[in-house]
Amino acid sequence: MDEPFHVPQAQAYCRGDFWTWDPKITTPPGLYIMSLLLKRIFMFKCTLPMLRLTTVLALLSLPPALTHLLCFHKRTRPPASLLSPAIESLVLSTFPIAWFFGFLYYTEAPSLVFVVLTVVAASQGRHWRAALLGLISCTFRQNNVIWVMYAFASSQLVYLRFRRAVPGAAPPKKFHDPPALAAGPYDMVRSILSVPYMVADILPSSIPYMLVLAVFGGFVTWNGGIVLGDKANHVPAFHVPQIYYFIAFSTAFGWPVLISGPGGPLSLAREVQQRMFGNKTRTFITILVWIAMAATVKHLTIHHPFLLADNRHYTFYLWRRIYMFHPVVPYVSIPIYVACTWAWFLRVGREQTLLQTLLLPVFILPTLLPTPLLEPRYFLIPFILLRAQVADVPGWALALEGVWYASINAVTMGVFLYLPRGEIRFMW
C-alpha cells in the first residue's frame, strides 16, 4: 500500500513542514497540497479519515466531469446543472479501480478528475484553462503530461474537421480524416500526409500546451528524471506486453459495452473474424502480427520483483496462477489480444473518424510502454478515456455495466474490509 508513505507526508505539509520529503515517494505533492487547502478551508485535522476525504471528494466530482466528456463524444449539450450528471457518468464513476482507490489516500481519483477536466476544457476550445488544469494534473502524477498533449490533439482533430471558412477568406485546406470503419491503409497515408498543411492552423492553440511541456521539461532537468523518489525501483523499461495486458484488462471490464453494438456479440464476432481473416492478405498480416507479438512476449516480458513478491495484490495471483500456469499460456493469449483489439476498434470507430479512433492508442503507448510493473492503476485513465469514446451505449448494456462494476466492487471491497490475513489486506 502507498498510504503508509502518503499519509505522513501529507501530515508534514499540514504542519507547515514543506521541506521534509520521504525518498520513497515517487509522485509530486499535488495530493498533499489539495489536502492542505481543504484543511485551511474546512479547518479539519489531518487524520487518516479526514485525509481520505480528499480522494472521496475527488470521486464525488467525477460524475459531472465525465458527463461533459461523454457529451463531447456524443456531440450533445451537457446538462445546465452540475447536480444533474448523466446516468452513464454515474455508472462509469463506479469503475472498480477508480471506486476502490477513491476511498484510500491515493493519487488516482484526483489525477483522473483533473485529466478528464483537461480534456473537456480543450474540447470546448478553452485552451489556457485546459493547460492550467493539465498542469495541476501533473502535480498528482508526472506522466499526465502525456494526457495534456492528448487533450490538445483531440481538440484539434475536432476543430479541423468542423471548422468553417472565414467570410471573405479562401476556404481552409481540407484535412483528410474519413470515418474509421470505412477507411483503409491508403486513407491513413493520406491523413498523415495532410497533417503538415494543418500545422499553421493549430499553432496558436498549441501555445498554452507548449508552456506546460516547457515546465515539465524544466522539472525533469532539475530532478534528473521523471520519478521523484525510489528511482532504483522505478527504472523505465521497454515493456511491450504491457499493452497486451491493457487490452485484456479493458475487455474484461468493458465487455458489456463492447458487445452492445448493433447486432450484438455475434455480429461483433463476425466483424472481428472478417478483419482478421477476411481474405488472404488479411490472414497473412494477422499471422505476421502474431509472430511479432510472440517475439515481444518472449524477449520483452518483465517479471517485476514487486509483482513476484507482494501477495497482497490480485495481480500476484493472476500472474502466478494464470499467466505463468504453463509456458504456453502467454503465447496462446496472443490471438485473444488481437481479436480484442479489433473489437475495440470496431466498437469505438462506429461513431468516429479514423484519426479520432487511433489517437488514443497513440498516446497510450508512451504512457504504458515505459512501465515495468503490471499494475491495474496504470490502466485507469486510458480505460476511462477509451470507454468514454463509445457514444451509442443502449440502456440494457449500461445497466449490465453497472451491475458488473457493482459486483466487482462488492467483492473487492468486501475482501479488503472483512477478510484480512493478519495485518495484510488484499487489494488491486
Side-chain angles (χ1 to χ4, degrees):
M1 291 181 65
D2 291 353
E3 274 194 343
F5 304 101
H6 288 314
V7 171
Q9 187 64 56
Q11 291 171 338
Y13 271 57
C14 289
R15 294 191 303 269
D17 181 3
F18 302 110
W19 304 107
T20 298
W21 186 261
D22 188 335
K24 289 292 184 181
I25 295 176
T26 62
T27 51
L31 181 63
Y32 321 131
I33 295 173
M34 186 175 176
S35 296
L36 179 61
L37 292 175
L38 292 175
K39 173 184 181 293
R40 297 282 175 85
I41 295 171
F42 298 107
M43 303 299 292
F44 60 66
K45 295 182 179 180
C46 290
T47 60
L48 177 58
M50 299 310 295
L51 287 175
R52 285 175 174 170
L53 181 63
T54 305
T55 52
V56 171
L57 290 175
L59 190 62
L60 290 174
S61 66
L62 188 56
L66 286 175
T67 296
H68 283 74
L69 180 62
L70 291 166
C71 288
F72 165 62
H73 288 295
K74 294 174 185 289
R75 302 288 182 266
T76 58
R77 188 180 298 275
S81 173
L82 292 176
L83 300 179
S84 303
I87 298 298
E88 189 171 350
S89 71
L90 293 173
V91 171
L92 193 52
S93 296
T94 65
F95 178 65
I97 307 301
W99 182 262
F100 187 92
F101 289 105
F103 293 97
L104 299 175
Y105 197 61
Y106 276 64
T107 61
E108 270 61 40
S111 172
L112 172 61
V113 169
F114 277 101
V115 166
V116 171
L117 291 175
T118 300
V119 177
V120 169
S123 71
Q124 297 171 342
R126 299 170 178 173
H127 297 295
W128 286 99
R129 178 187 297 181
L132 177 60
L133 291 168
L135 187 61
I136 294 173
S137 78
C138 293
T139 66
F140 294 96
R141 299 194 76 89
Q142 302 92 310
N143 63 356
N144 283 347
V145 69
I146 297 171
W147 301 121
V148 176
M149 301 313 298
Y150 166 78
F152 166 66
S154 177
S155 69
Q156 295 311 291
L157 283 181
V158 175
Y159 162 72
L160 292 173
R161 182 183 179 190
F162 293 106
R163 63 178 174 163
R164 298 178 179 178
V166 177
K173 293 184 175 64
K174 188 174 179 59
F175 183 53
H176 186 74
D177 191 13
L181 301 191
Y186 179 62
D187 289 299
M188 173 59 71
V189 175
R190 287 187 61 190
S191 296
I192 294 174
L193 292 178
S194 67
V195 168
Y197 299 100
M198 307 295 124
V199 172
D201 296 328
I202 66 175
L203 199 57
S205 300
S206 71
I207 294 174
Y209 305 95
M210 294 302 106
L211 292 176
V212 174
L213 274 184
V215 172
F216 178 77
F219 161 77
V220 172
T221 302
W222 167 79
N223 186 54
I226 295 178
V227 177
L228 269 177
D230 199 21
K231 295 180 181 179
N233 289 315
H234 294 82
V235 179
F238 188 57
H239 193 192
V240 175
Q242 187 83 302
I243 305 300
Y244 312 152
Y245 309 148
F246 170 70
I247 294 167
F249 171 92
S250 300
T251 305
F253 283 97
W255 64 267
V257 169
L258 197 58
I259 66 172
S260 67
L266 293 180
S267 176
L268 180 64
R270 286 192 295 268
E271 290 183 66
V272 169
Q273 188 273 338
Q274 180 66 22
R275 293 281 178 161
M276 293 175 66
F277 308 110
N279 53 46
K280 291 182 179 179
T281 301
R282 290 183 175 181
T283 301
F284 177 70
I285 293 174
T286 298
I287 293 173
L288 285 182
V289 169
W290 287 356
I291 294 172
M293 291 175 67
T296 61
V297 168
K298 179 176 177 58
H299 298 290
L300 298 175
T301 296
I302 297 176
H303 302 268
H304 198 282
F306 286 2
L307 179 63
L308 300 175
D310 195 344
N311 64 353
R312 297 171 298 177
H313 298 279
Y314 296 119
T315 48
F316 172 88
Y317 301 96
L318 180 67
W319 188 264
R320 283 184 173 271
R321 298 183 181 179
I322 298 179
Y323 196 78
M324 301 307 297
F325 174 77
H326 190 278
V328 77
V329 171
Y331 298 96
V332 298
S333 302
I334 289 173
I336 300 174
Y337 298 146
V338 175
C340 291
T341 302
W342 273 119
W344 277 109
F345 175 82
L346 292 167
R347 190 69 184 92
V348 172
R350 191 173 300 278
E351 299 290 334
Q352 297 196 131
T353 65
L354 177 63
L355 293 183
Q356 283 179 312
T357 305
L358 297 180
L359 184 67
L360 181 60
V362 168
F363 282 88
I364 287 176
L365 291 177
T367 304
L368 297 182
L369 279 178
T371 56
L373 177 63
L374 173 57
E375 170 60 79
R377 289 183 294 158
Y378 298 160
F379 301 152
L380 172 59
I381 292 176
F383 177 84
I384 294 296
L385 296 178
L386 174 66
R387 164 60 183 84
Q389 290 185 344
V390 183
D392 56 337
V393 181
W396 66 266
L398 194 59
L400 182 59
E401 183 183 30
V403 171
W404 178 234
Y405 290 169
S407 301
I408 297 173
N409 288 333
V411 172
T412 54
M413 296 193 76
V415 168
F416 180 82
L417 292 173
Y418 302 113
L419 293 177
R421 183 180 298 175
E423 295 297 321
I424 297 176
R425 292 185 182 270
F426 296 99
M427 60 191 302
W428 288 108

